[in-house]
Amino acid sequence: MSKQVIVAVDHETKTITWKVIGGDLLELYDSFTIITSCDHHWTTWTFLYEKKTEDTLEPLVLLAYVLHVTKEIENHLL
């Protein structure tokens, strides 16, 4: 679970930036920002985060979830 706020929308570059402001992610990371951008047939997801400790794992579960949702949206649109 996480609570996010949209901090930027750029219609020209088709980019949306979210900042996580609460929830489970901030228990593991000091900061977490998600950037999505679309370019014709491609969607790019970028995660910018700062780990609280060196032992904190990479957010691979979140990455797998985002990949799954993106594929589901693609299947729906096709």
Side-chain angles (χ1 to χ4, degrees):
M1 299 289 297
S2 70
K3 186 177 190 179
Q4 308 107 21
V5 62
I6 296 175
V7 294
V9 175
D10 187 338
H11 296 284
E12 191 172 305
T13 61
K14 298 178 184 171
T15 302
I16 302 172
T17 303
W18 290 276
K19 181 175 180 165
V20 176
I21 59 171
D24 297 338
L25 282 175
L26 292 184
E27 292 178 12
L28 299 172
Y29 305 98
D30 287 328
S31 64
F32 205 99
T33 302
I34 303 166
I35 303 169
T36 61
S37 60
C38 300
D39 182 26
H40 229 7
H41 300 291
W42 298 99
T43 299
T44 303
W45 292 82
T46 305
F47 296 158
L48 304 173
Y49 54 91
E50 184 178 333
K51 295 179 181 182
K52 286 195 180 219
T53 67
E54 286 295 319
D55 297 334
T56 302
L57 299 175
E58 306 298 329
L60 297 179
V61 172
L62 180 59
L63 182 61
Y65 174 74
V66 167
L67 181 60
H68 172 74
V69 168
T70 302
K71 287 181 179 181
E72 289 296 316
I73 291 170
E74 178 186 35
N75 289 336
H76 177 73
L77 293 175
L78 295 177

